[in-house]
Amino acid sequence: MKLNIFFFSMFLLYAATSFATPPSDMSLTYDKEKNIVHVSAKHPSGRLERHYVRRLVIYKNDGPVETLNFPRQKLAAGLEEDIELKAGPGDRISIEAFCSQGGSGKAQIEIPQDKPEG
């Protein structure tokens, strides 16, 4: 009997996570003039309050800088977010997005060095 309960529990756990789709096709762009990181990720959802990108963790040079939590997803197709972040040439910005039902996606960008005038 205990073995049956165990297998049933494992089936439910697997079934619950199999419907979760992690954020995918994440991309980042950085606007040096405005100090803004633009995050874009695919995460289709038909129920924006139940299945959504719930958290973004922002890293600068491998150290966490900020965590943003969301109560729901704004767009059915995915995430589009602008985040204020001061970064300079050579800095590496990474953002990890977490789904409310499991799974995550990550993207990274390096701020290019300024080209010398001449």
Side-chain angles (χ1 to χ4, degrees):
M1 181 67 173
K2 288 182 181 182
L3 192 58
N4 288 340
I5 292 172
F6 172 76
F7 283 120
F8 183 70
S9 300
M10 295 308 292
F11 170 77
L12 288 179
L13 180 63
Y14 174 76
T17 58
S18 66
F19 295 114
T21 55
S24 63
D25 294 333
M26 285 186 64
S27 65
L28 306 178
T29 56
Y30 186 73
D31 185 333
K32 286 195 244 183
E33 305 296 321
K34 298 178 183 176
N35 293 322
I36 297 283
V37 179
H38 179 77
V39 183
S40 178
K42 284 186 183 177
H43 187 262
S45 175
R47 304 195 61 185
L48 302 177
E49 294 83 21
R50 297 187 80 200
H51 182 212
Y52 59 96
V53 175
R54 68 178 168 88
R55 180 176 56 174
L56 292 179
V57 180
I58 299 99
Y59 301 90
K60 183 172 146 186
N61 299 325
D62 297 326
V65 175
E66 186 175 2
T67 299
L68 301 174
N69 294 298
F70 304 100
R72 67 185 306 274
Q73 191 167 299
K74 296 175 192 173
L75 306 171
L79 173 79
E80 296 285 335
E81 198 70 35
D82 288 332
I83 302 163
E84 191 172 331
L85 179 67
K86 181 110 172 119
D91 284 340
R92 188 173 54 253
I93 300 169
S94 301
I95 296 183
E96 191 168 13
F98 294 89
C99 173
S100 63
Q101 294 183 356
S104 66
K106 193 170 189 176
Q108 144 175 322
I109 188 172
E110 186 168 329
I111 309 304
Q113 299 288 336
D114 293 329
K115 294 180 182 176
E117 294 182 29

